Amino acid sequence: MNVKIGSTAFTIEEGAYRALDNYLDDIRGRLDQAEAVEIMGDLEMRIADLLSGWLGNPEGVVDMYLVRRVQEVIGRPDEFGELKQPKERPSHIDPKRLMRTSGDKVIGGVCGGIAHFTNIDPTLLRIITLLCIVFGGLSLWIYIILWIFMPIDSNK
């Protein structure tokens, strides 16, 4: 994964990213909201400096070993104080996928799926699509191909 830590771009393994994200969330949950933004910004800058120094070259990949080293240098989250409010994190976050909708459809669910994916009003997207088909800007064949190849999402 490519991420920015303290305004520096890093390539990081997925497991290492989750561990570092959980670590930072644990620290953030122990800070007062008034000071959390500034402290977390400073903390991310320090982590970026540490990782840059240890990696040596920009093509290096941050792995679990480096995340553990960061945690040793920065310290345990409980050293930042008591947990202010426990955060409930979802156990699994589904990535947003382009899928036809089964519940919000007029013809095939293509416009409803695209509208859900792009956070656009489905009715507005349907009107735009219809105008494009009628006036030749969008071929009916594109809609049909999307209808055939877009998987259907039975939850929407």
Side-chain angles (χ1 to χ4, degrees):
M1 300 176 69
N2 293 318
V3 297
K4 277 195 171 187
I5 302 172
S7 72
T8 304
F10 291 97
T11 302
I12 185 169
E13 293 176 351
E14 190 174 342
Y17 172 77
R18 278 195 303 265
L20 184 60
D21 189 44
N22 288 338
Y23 175 72
L24 291 174
D25 278 348
D26 196 3
I27 291 173
R28 188 178 293 111
R30 296 168 187 279
L31 301 174
D32 292 326
Q33 279 189 320
E35 61 186 13
V37 173
E38 184 178 344
I39 291 174
M40 292 307 295
D42 292 343
L43 205 59
E44 286 189 21
M45 292 299 289
R46 176 68 177 136
I47 291 170
D49 288 342
L50 289 171
L51 292 174
S52 295
W54 290 332
L55 286 174
N57 64 16
E59 291 83 30
V61 176
V62 177
D63 58 6
M64 200 62 171
Y65 172 74
L66 290 177
V67 170
R68 286 192 189 110
R69 284 184 68 186
V70 163
Q71 291 172 346
E72 289 172 6
V73 171
I74 302 295
R76 294 185 324 271
D78 61 359
E79 294 173 357
F80 288 85
E82 292 295 316
L83 194 58
K84 304 284 187 230
Q85 50 187 335
K87 289 187 177 183
E88 290 185 24
R89 292 183 57 118
S91 60
H92 177 59
I93 299 172
D94 290 328
K96 203 172 196 183
R97 295 182 57 201
L98 180 60
M99 302 179 84
R100 291 186 296 132
T101 57
S102 61
D104 184 19
K105 71 178 183 177
V106 173
I107 297 175
V110 173
C111 288
I114 293 172
H116 180 267
F117 185 76
T118 58
N119 294 326
I120 298 174
D121 180 37
T123 306
L124 178 65
L125 187 62
R126 287 183 185 110
I127 292 170
I128 292 170
T129 302
L130 180 64
L131 289 173
C132 287
I133 288 173
V134 169
F135 293 110
L138 177 72
S139 172
L140 181 62
W141 292 108
I142 293 174
Y143 186 90
I144 293 171
I145 290 170
L146 288 173
W147 189 357
I148 292 169
F149 288 105
M150 279 176 65
I152 191 156
D153 183 10
S154 57
N155 299 328
K156 304 284 182 237

